[in-house]
């Protein structure tokens, strides 16, 4: 690899919303590319037109934008190896499929759907309920291995539909090295004769992926474990077309596991937590499924916990910035075993990121959350201070509404019962005195307010503990929130006194 520029790719098929597992593949590709001063390419693999889902490609761009994991080359960003959408490269693939036929590694197959069905019926046994098109059956089928040359030509000339299939060797062991799993061995006898070129002239994924990885000079292929069974066919295609020595290095990433095995995009909100980065609207059903962003996750936290789903740096360190991830990431440290996703742990990451972030960073998103909840904030500086006061208590960005909403919205239904049981004349007169004392102060800050509060309580022989809860209910409306004198400081004199008076009136 020395001297060769690292080029990696994320190659999604736009068949639905990109989920957490896909995003982790993006992330590992991105980190590896950045670490090795390489290029990160996004290639859209849309050769299966029947499974194409409108909006899926745009959704991928949105996810990349939100997480900041932007590609260097893509259909959107351009690049020297385009087009980056396989449907726009259709004409490039046929020559490779035909070259394989010429050299005896592939063949034309003319079997109709009915004939394939007959074969499956005939060959099926209890042990093998859906027989594949492989070396055992190909010599009984209608293809260029069984038909005389002239008949093949005649069919090709007269436009009889055909596919091109890979002629899988009967009895070979295909070996390749996986950067995560080590040496992997596959027996070709167990593999089918994969279709490479379809009747509509479109390549299948198997042909297109190999041709494009070659033409785009890809050096490393990092993709999900579900592609491992396809790898031997890809290795053979590399061997036949471009030379195995030019093949990229492989790494098949472990599955992400949910409560019941593999986590899939079909799980939607089944487990009460998101699997999509961003809200996904299923165009077929119209169903809207919220994503991590809508749940109140910071993109930094999302990227951080994704990185640790299957990788660590060899220490106990868990909080990483993107720069730190780039510096420490190595593909060899990715585990081969499935990585269990734990939503509570993901929230812990988000909580930590919220605590670590300056309130100015949190401000735009929190402001949006307030807006969505019908509160338009005119005093942005006050919001920034409120964020500072409550961020310790927030796991999700959406928690700011609950934790800091009272600063901007008068508590409509204060928890009167919490105060009433122990309310009495002494307490009432304490608060009347307190209002007077706070009214007079020139220095409206938490320390001064606390000082005046305590001195007054002592002089009236009331325990401050007895008075703090009523004060909190007056200012906040409930039994939660940051230190109460900090709240009073931020609310300001007029608002604080108004809230105390209001509750005194209601407690009469
Ligand atoms: N198009 C494949 C997918 O949808 C990509 C597999 C690969 O990276 O080779 O996941």
């Amino acid at each position: 690899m020395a001297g060769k520029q690292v080029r990696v790719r994320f190659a999604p098929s736009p068949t639905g919303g990109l989920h957490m597992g896909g995003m982790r593949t993006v992330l590992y590709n991105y980190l590896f590319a950045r670490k090795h001063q390489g290029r990160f390419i996004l290639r859209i693999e849309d050769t299966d037109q029947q499974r194409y889902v409108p909006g899926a490609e745009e959704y991928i761009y949105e996810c990349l934008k939100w997480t900041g994991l932007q590609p260097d080359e893509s259909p959107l960003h351009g690049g020297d190896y385009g087009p980056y959408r396989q449907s726009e490269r259709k004409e490039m693939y046929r020559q490779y499929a035909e070259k394989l036929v010429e050299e005896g590694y592939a063949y034309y197959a003319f079997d109709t759907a009915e004939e394939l069905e007959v074969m499956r019926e005939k060959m099926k046994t209890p042990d093998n309920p859906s027989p594949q098109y492989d070396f055992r059956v190909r010599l009984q089928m209608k293809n260029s291995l069984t038909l005389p040359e002239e008949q093949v030509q005649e069919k090709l000339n007269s436009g009889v539909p055909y596919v091109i299939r890979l002629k899988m060797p009967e009895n070979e062991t295909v070996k390749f090295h996986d950067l995560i799993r080590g040496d992997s061995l596959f027996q070709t006898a167990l593999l089918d004769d994969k279709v490479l070129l379809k009747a509509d002239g479109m390549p299948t994924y198997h042909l297109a992926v190999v041709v494009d990885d070659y033409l785009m000079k890809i050096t490393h292929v990092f993709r999900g474990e579900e592609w491992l069974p396809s790898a031997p066919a890809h290795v053979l295609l590399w061997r036949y077309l471009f030379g195995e020595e030019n093949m990229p290095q492989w790494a098949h990433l472990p599955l992400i596991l949910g409560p019941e095995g593999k986590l899939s995009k079909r799980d939607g909100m089944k487990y009460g937590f998101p699997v999509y980065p961003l809200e996904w609207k299923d165009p077929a059903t119209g169903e809207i499924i919220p994503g991590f962003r809508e749940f109140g996750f910071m993109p930094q936290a999302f990227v951080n916990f994704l990185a640790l789903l299957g990788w660590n740096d060899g220490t106990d360190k868990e909080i990483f910035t993107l720069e730190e991830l780039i510096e420490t990431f190595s593909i060899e440290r990715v585990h081969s075993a499935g990585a269990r996703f734990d939503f509570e742990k993901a929230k812990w990451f988000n909580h930590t990121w919220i605590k670590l972030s300056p309130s100015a960073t949190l401000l735009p998103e929190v402001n949006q959350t307030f807006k969505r909840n019908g509160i338009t904030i005119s005093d942005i500086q006050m919001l920034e201070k409120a964020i500072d006061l409550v961020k310790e208590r927030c796991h999700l960005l959406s928690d700011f509404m609950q934790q800091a909403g009272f600063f901007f919205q008068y508590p409509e239904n204060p928890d009167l019962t919490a105060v009433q049981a122990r309310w009495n004349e002494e307490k009432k007169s304490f608060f009347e005195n307190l209002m007077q004392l706070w009214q007079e102060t020139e220095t409206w800050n938490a320390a001064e307010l606390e000082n005046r509060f305590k001195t007054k309580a002592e002089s009236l022989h009331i325990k401050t503990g007895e008075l703090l809860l009523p004060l909190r209910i007056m200012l906040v409306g409930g039994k939660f929130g940051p230190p109460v004198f900090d709240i009073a400081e931020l609310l300001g004199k007029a608002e604080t006194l108004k809230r105390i008076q209001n509750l005194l009136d209601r407690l009469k």
Side-chain angles (χ1 to χ4, degrees):
M1 274 292 111
K4 218 176 182 187
Q5 186 190 39
V6 162
R7 291 177 57 82
V8 294
R9 87 300 188 279
F10 175 58
S13 301
T15 54
L18 179 65
H19 85 316
M20 211 192 302
M23 273 314 291
R24 191 197 51 186
T25 305
V26 169
L27 177 61
Y28 287 179
N29 273 290
Y30 177 92
L31 295 176
F32 189 84
R34 287 289 163 276
K35 175 154 183 145
H36 298 281
Q37 286 88 45
R39 306 276 289 172
F40 170 46
I41 292 120
L42 171 71
R43 183 174 70 223
I44 299 293
E45 302 208 322
D46 57 350
T47 55
D48 191 347
Q49 307 268 289
Q50 264 142 34
R51 294 184 59 220
Y52 182 83
V53 171
E57 186 178 330
E58 291 69 24
Y59 181 81
I60 293 167
Y61 299 133
E62 283 301 307
C63 291
L64 299 185
K65 203 165 120 197
W66 182 61
T67 50
L69 307 173
Q70 293 283 29
D72 302 303
E73 300 168 27
S74 80
L76 206 64
H77 302 81
D80 294 341
Y81 297 85
Y84 292 91
R85 215 177 267 121
Q86 284 183 332
S87 57
E88 292 166 21
R89 303 169 66 82
K90 184 177 169 190
E91 302 316 319
M92 298 188 192
Y93 305 107
R94 173 177 293 276
Q95 52 172 311
Y96 295 101
E98 273 170 0
K99 182 167 177 268
L100 288 168
V101 177
E102 265 161 45
E103 294 176 1
Y105 297 121
Y107 56 92
Y108 298 112
F110 302 97
D111 317 281
T112 61
E114 294 75 39
E115 285 161 344
L116 290 173
E117 199 40 54
V118 170
M119 176 274 280
R120 282 192 204 103
E121 276 303 312
K122 204 171 96 192
M123 306 288 290
K124 102 174 165 195
T125 62
D127 290 346
N128 185 14
S130 48
Q132 49 183 13
Y133 201 120
D134 62 11
F135 80 94
R136 289 173 200 84
V137 306
R138 66 188 170 218
L139 292 182
Q140 303 168 42
M141 302 301 288
K142 224 194 297 161
N143 54 46
S144 58
L145 302 173
T146 56
L147 298 172
E149 169 97 38
E150 317 80 72
Q151 264 192 47
V152 172
Q153 271 318 318
E154 201 185 289
K155 282 186 189 298
L156 292 177
N157 295 340
S158 60
V160 172
Y162 66 89
V163 300
I164 294 182
R165 284 184 183 271
L166 177 64
K167 189 176 164 206
M168 188 57 76
E170 279 180 37
N171 194 12
E172 253 187 57
T173 304
V174 176
K175 181 176 160 185
F176 69 89
H177 184 77
D178 186 288
L179 292 169
I180 297 172
R181 285 149 214 276
D183 285 342
S184 295
L185 301 177
F186 289 86
Q187 303 306 327
T188 56
L190 301 173
L191 304 172
D192 67 330
D193 288 3
K194 291 198 185 315
V195 173
L196 301 176
L197 199 77
K198 294 183 276 189
D200 63 2
M202 270 287 193
T204 58
Y205 156 69
H206 302 290
L207 177 65
V209 80
V210 169
V211 168
D212 285 346
D213 283 347
Y214 168 74
L215 293 176
M216 296 184 181
K217 295 199 166 57
I218 300 303
T219 57
H220 299 76
V221 169
F222 304 153
R223 60 183 177 190
E225 182 181 293
E226 63 274 26
W227 298 105
L228 196 55
S230 304
H234 300 169
V235 172
L236 287 174
L237 287 173
W238 270 95
R239 185 186 297 168
Y240 303 151
L241 286 170
F242 310 119
E244 229 171 306
E245 63 287 2
N246 299 313
M247 197 166 73
Q249 296 203 52
W250 307 92
H252 290 86
L253 309 176
L255 296 177
I256 297 185
L257 303 172
E260 297 165 33
K262 183 183 181 221
L263 205 55
S264 111
K265 54 188 166 198
R266 276 174 298 278
D267 291 330
M269 278 295 296
K270 180 173 163 194
Y271 302 115
F273 58 74
V275 295
Y276 291 107
L278 310 178
E279 178 178 283
W280 168 250
K281 182 170 177 196
D282 188 327
T285 62
E287 189 190 359
I288 295 179
I289 305 159
F292 280 93
R293 181 179 62 186
E294 289 68 32
F295 252 73
F297 275 80
M298 294 179 67
Q300 295 89 329
F302 178 71
V303 165
N304 190 163
F305 80 66
L306 265 192
L308 277 106
L309 275 175
W311 170 88
N312 64 54
D313 74 343
T315 72
D316 290 340
K317 185 172 157 80
E318 292 187 293
I319 298 298
F320 290 88
T321 63
L322 189 57
E323 289 67 35
E324 288 171 327
L325 287 172
I326 292 170
E327 209 168 288
T328 47
F329 182 75
S330 77
I331 196 75
E332 287 81 7
R333 286 206 59 86
V334 175
H335 325 143
S336 56
R340 187 160 296 282
F341 173 69
D342 175 352
F343 187 52
E344 289 310 312
K345 184 76 194 207
K347 284 203 312 206
W348 174 84
F349 275 100
N350 204 51
H351 178 50
T352 308
W353 268 96
I354 287 177
K355 282 194 293 182
L356 285 174
S357 303
S359 50
T361 308
L362 300 167
L363 189 69
E365 199 46 54
V366 176
N367 198 14
Q368 277 305 320
T369 308
F370 274 76
K371 246 195 212 130
R372 273 198 297 274
N373 282 280
I375 302 181
T376 306
I377 291 176
S378 49
D379 189 346
I380 288 294
Q381 255 187 338
M382 177 156 169
L383 178 59
E384 206 172 325
K385 287 187 189 150
I387 291 174
D388 258 334
L389 279 184
V390 305
K391 65 182 187 183
E392 287 276 337
R393 291 152 208 276
C394 297
H395 281 76
L396 299 170
L397 290 170
S398 43
D399 293 343
F400 278 96
M401 188 53 218
Q402 147 78 12
Q403 291 294 334
F406 68 86
F407 281 110
F408 307 94
Q409 210 169 39
Y410 191 79
E412 283 300 329
N413 297 306
D415 185 359
L416 285 176
T417 44
V419 186
Q420 253 152 354
R422 303 175 70 95
W423 192 244
N424 56 31
E425 278 305 311
E426 275 116 55
K427 285 184 187 167
K428 187 176 166 217
S429 82
F430 167 82
F431 278 101
E432 280 161 0
N433 278 298
L434 183 72
M435 284 179 73
Q436 186 62 34
L437 283 171
W438 280 6
Q439 177 66 50
E440 285 160 6
T441 181
E442 300 277 303
T443 37
W444 188 265
N445 66 45
E448 177 61 20
L449 300 178
E450 182 169 6
N451 190 17
R452 289 183 177 231
F453 178 93
K454 284 195 168 151
T455 318
K456 189 75 220 161
E458 269 161 36
S459 76
L460 294 178
H461 305 292
I462 312 180
K463 287 201 196 97
T464 48
E466 292 273 304
L467 300 165
L468 284 169
L469 178 71
L471 180 61
R472 179 172 295 281
I473 303 291
M474 288 165 179
L475 302 187
V476 178
K479 294 184 209 163
F480 64 93
V484 73
F485 299 105
D486 290 337
I487 296 175
E489 176 181 327
L490 188 56
L491 281 175
K493 189 187 274 186
E495 183 65 18
T496 299
L497 297 179
K498 187 174 127 200
R499 291 188 185 193
I500 296 176
Q501 184 61 58
N502 185 289
L503 211 81
L504 286 180
D505 293 345
R506 294 176 76 161
L507 282 164
K508 265 183 197 149

